[in-house]
Amino acid sequence: MTLAAAVCCAMTMAVLSACTEKEDNPAGPDSPADQAEYAILFYGYGGDNLDDCILKNMVDFYNGKDESYKKVKIACQYKYSSVEKMQENWLDNLVKDGDVDPATAEQIKLTKEMELQTIRFIVDNTVQDPDVNVMINKENIYGAKNCYVANPDSLTNFINWAANACPAKHYILIISDHGGGYQPHTDLTFEVPAKTRGVVFDKVHQPTTSFSASSLKYAIGRANARMDVVYLDACLMNTIEYQFELKDLTDYYILSTFVVPGAGGSYSLLIDELAKNTDDIETTLKNFNKASVEKWDKDAEAQVAAGIEESKWDYHDMTVTRTKNLDAFGEKFKVFTDKLVAAYADESNKAKVDSITKYAFKVNNSLPGYDLVDYVEDIVNTLSDVYGDSFYYELATTFNNCLVSQYCSDFLMKKGLSVDCSVMLGVEGKYYIYNYDRKDPKKLDGYDIYFADGKLEKYTTGVAEPEVTTWPSTLENTYEQLAFDKATGWSRWLKLNKQLPAYDSPAQIHYPLE
């Protein structure tokens, strides 16, 4: 993502807007005798419409078996959204038929007072009613009101504090909020954190900022404790770009290529599985993966039965990836890219590849991420004289060696729309962001074109001429600085490809599936 030197320079300024002016407990975890087997470190933000969902997730940390907490400790930090957003998406649900009983009225009052506040706490499973006694307890407020949650310094500070408060042999970091996958314009070279999409959107305090892959890498990488698992409980984050960028910081990822329901993963089950399978993390993660997706399927079925229309289209998925095999996959993927770039000079091959690219499976109808496995498989099968009979098997083997487990919703599987991992596609060095009407997802309001040299053209439906500005960076200073691109040279294909990839995601706007 961004150049490492630029990130380091920018960090000296970023510290000023973090949740605290000093780093708590910088010395590192206590002696091994005080260590638990696992510590789960949860870092979340309501993102303007997820407060109720994430608070339910945190309450779920109290629902494990009593004996599990002897081996598993949990530390949490969470920033609330604004009262306006909580009122819109949460507090109104506490009022039934216009009547508010005194207990509910007090809860609403306390909750409103938590507006833009950050809370920190250690999970004590003996606490009764943690939603009131912990999550909206003023004693747990940490830092100044409306601290900058998307600041890398804030995340590093939290990890260091949590590792000291809950010393353990192994650490799992959960980051929970909205996600937006990888896009170069989120990865500006001289700005940390980068603008717009990535993961953790601080929409109230800094509405155009979030973590990028580079700032997330910086934040986790400089912490005192190494993470065994990094779990981004957010949509669209299972991108090959993020995987390669963070691969040296952890042993496993838990990521979703497409959608994560607001409910998030089954956290209490994760606690129990960690305690039960202390020496077998892969079994734990497999069971957690399966249980979480099955829970989401059941939730969707219940919502459909209750008449919630949008739940008919259930696009959730989750993948557990082991990072130690990513380098081998990168080496094979470089061979794939080398052959593709060379073959594209031949007109007959070009026509075949253009046809495939035109119908690539788009993961999200707005963003430039496409299913990597589906795209590669179609190209290798079509250019069989270029790749030979065994190449796809060899490439697929290296990819599958990275997978611990992978589950997609019943809906995706039945429709043949299962997703594996996304990769960015573009045309002649530029990529497109499409702007759809939120109230009418089939209506395109316009689109933005990000050029390799930094030019930005913004088209509005019904307006003949685009607005021309800059983004302001270049493909060279963003995508080409990624660990993935340095390993594979994928940007060569982004610049060479002349066919505009599909801009509709059939799994997002529904109409091909009705």
Side-chain angles (χ1 to χ4, degrees):
M1 299 231 159
T2 62
L3 293 169
V7 172
C8 291
C9 291
M11 277 303 138
T12 60
M13 298 182 65
V15 70
L16 298 179
S17 57
C19 288
T20 180
E21 294 182 0
K22 63 182 179 67
E23 189 172 275
D24 294 336
N25 302 316
D30 294 333
S31 65
D34 299 325
Q35 291 180 338
E37 291 293 333
Y38 284 91
I40 299 173
L41 316 183
F42 176 90
Y43 188 88
Y45 174 54
D48 89 355
N49 66 346
L50 290 177
D51 284 291
D52 58 334
C53 297
I54 295 181
L55 287 173
K56 289 175 183 176
N57 285 155
M58 291 195 295
V59 169
D60 196 30
F61 280 134
Y62 291 79
N63 294 330
K65 298 176 181 177
D66 288 343
E67 61 269 22
S68 296
Y69 295 95
K70 298 175 183 177
K71 295 182 179 181
V72 182
K73 305 300 180 185
I74 305 104
C76 299
Q77 178 169 312
Y78 177 76
K79 180 186 173 185
Y80 285 83
S81 294
S82 66
V83 164
E84 177 186 4
K85 293 300 182 181
M86 288 192 287
Q87 188 78 36
E88 178 182 340
N89 297 289
W90 178 23
L91 297 179
D92 285 343
N93 295 328
L94 298 176
V95 180
K96 304 298 182 185
D97 302 321
D99 295 324
V100 183
D101 63 44
T104 300
E106 179 62 19
Q107 184 176 353
I108 292 174
K109 176 180 179 294
L110 290 171
T111 304
K112 286 182 178 180
E113 291 176 357
M114 299 303 291
E115 178 188 30
L116 306 180
Q117 298 284 10
T118 298
I119 57 169
R120 271 188 180 181
F121 60 93
I122 305 299
V123 169
D124 175 358
N125 67 303
T126 65
V127 170
Q128 300 296 313
D129 301 321
D131 53 337
V132 176
N133 294 325
V134 179
M135 262 62 95
I136 56 175
N137 187 335
K138 292 182 180 180
E139 293 182 2
N140 291 329
I141 291 176
Y142 170 73
K145 185 174 182 179
N146 202 16
C147 70
Y148 194 2
V149 69
N151 191 321
D153 185 72
S154 177
L155 177 56
T156 303
N157 176 285
F158 165 70
I159 294 172
N160 289 345
W161 167 79
N164 279 274
C166 298
K169 297 175 184 177
H170 307 282
Y171 293 95
I172 296 175
L173 175 65
I174 302 176
I175 298 178
S176 182
D177 185 25
H178 292 295
Y182 178 79
Q183 300 158 71
H185 64 276
T186 72
D187 227 6
L188 306 185
T189 304
F190 298 108
E191 187 164 359
V192 176
K195 289 184 176 179
T196 66
R197 304 299 289 273
V199 66
V200 180
F201 305 102
D202 196 355
K203 292 187 176 182
V204 176
H205 184 202
Q206 295 287 339
T208 61
T209 60
S210 67
F211 284 111
S212 65
S214 53
S215 61
L216 193 60
K217 177 181 180 180
Y218 183 89
I220 299 172
R222 70 187 181 123
N224 294 334
R226 186 182 188 277
M227 299 299 108
D228 291 67
V229 181
V230 170
Y231 173 16
L232 304 182
D233 198 358
C235 298
L236 304 172
M237 297 312 298
N238 190 26
T239 76
I240 198 65
E241 291 88 357
Y242 265 85
Q243 285 196 19
F244 268 73
E245 206 64 19
L246 303 177
K247 65 181 175 60
D248 296 329
L249 303 179
T250 187
D251 299 324
Y252 298 94
Y253 299 125
I254 306 175
L255 304 169
S256 295
T257 308
F258 198 14
V259 167
V260 173
S266 298
Y267 293 174
S268 58
L269 182 136
L270 177 61
I271 295 169
D272 291 339
E273 288 291 326
L274 287 169
K276 182 173 68 174
N277 302 301
T278 302
D279 298 321
D280 188 356
I281 185 63
E282 292 201 358
T283 293
T284 289
L285 298 181
K286 286 178 185 177
N287 292 342
F288 171 74
N289 187 352
K290 185 173 186 291
S292 293
V293 174
E294 287 178 347
K295 175 181 178 294
W296 296 340
D297 278 335
K298 291 179 181 177
D299 289 346
E301 290 174 6
Q303 289 172 351
V304 170
I308 301 175
E309 181 73 9
E310 59 266 25
S311 294
K312 291 196 306 184
W313 301 287
D314 190 15
Y315 308 123
H316 58 257
D317 69 285
M318 181 189 286
T319 297
V320 177
T321 300
R322 63 174 70 87
T323 62
K324 68 179 181 180
N325 294 333
L326 280 170
D327 286 337
F329 171 70
E331 291 173 6
K332 203 67 180 178
F333 196 87
K334 181 180 184 301
V335 176
F336 166 77
T337 306
D338 291 344
K339 290 180 178 291
L340 176 60
V341 168
Y344 204 62
D346 179 271
E347 283 299 319
S348 62
N349 288 333
K350 177 182 177 300
K352 294 176 183 177
V353 174
D354 285 349
S355 177
I356 291 166
T357 304
K358 182 178 180 180
Y359 297 104
F361 182 78
K362 201 171 197 299
V363 173
N364 176 281
N365 67 327
S366 298
L367 310 179
Y370 293 76
D371 189 84
L372 180 150
V373 173
D374 180 76
Y375 187 58
V376 170
E377 181 179 14
D378 285 348
I379 287 177
V380 171
N381 287 341
T382 301
L383 301 181
S384 57
D385 55 333
V386 173
Y387 288 100
D389 295 334
S390 64
F391 183 82
Y392 183 74
Y393 172 79
E394 296 168 0
L395 180 60
T397 298
T398 63
F399 180 82
N400 290 335
N401 286 342
C402 299
L403 298 180
V404 175
S405 64
Q406 187 174 72
Y407 290 91
C408 293
S409 66
D410 287 341
F411 177 86
L412 284 174
M413 296 301 293
K414 290 175 182 177
K415 295 295 184 180
L417 295 172
S418 60
V419 288
D420 296 281
C421 175
S422 69
V423 67
M424 184 177 135
L425 282 180
V427 51
E428 295 182 314
K430 57 182 180 286
Y431 62 96
Y432 289 65
I433 303 294
Y434 295 91
N435 305 311
Y436 287 90
D437 188 325
R438 284 184 172 271
K439 295 182 180 179
D440 183 0
K442 299 178 185 179
K443 180 183 177 183
L444 183 65
D445 288 337
Y447 57 92
D448 304 333
I449 307 177
Y450 292 81
F451 289 81
D453 63 0
K455 183 172 74 169
L456 170 60
E457 292 183 352
K458 300 175 73 68
Y459 290 83
T460 302
T461 300
V463 179
E465 297 296 325
E467 175 189 354
V468 180
T469 57
T470 59
W471 28 295
S473 190
T474 65
L475 204 66
E476 179 181 4
N477 285 335
T478 53
Y479 202 93
E480 293 180 43
Q481 304 307 316
L482 290 173
F484 174 68
D485 194 57
K486 290 180 178 180
T488 66
W490 185 242
S491 61
R492 292 174 294 156
W493 178 239
L494 297 179
K495 294 176 181 178
L496 184 63
N497 170 46
K498 298 186 184 302
Q499 175 62 54
L500 179 67
Y503 70 86
D504 283 343
S505 169
Q508 181 75 9
I509 59 176
H510 311 322
Y511 64 83
L513 309 179
E514 292 178 343

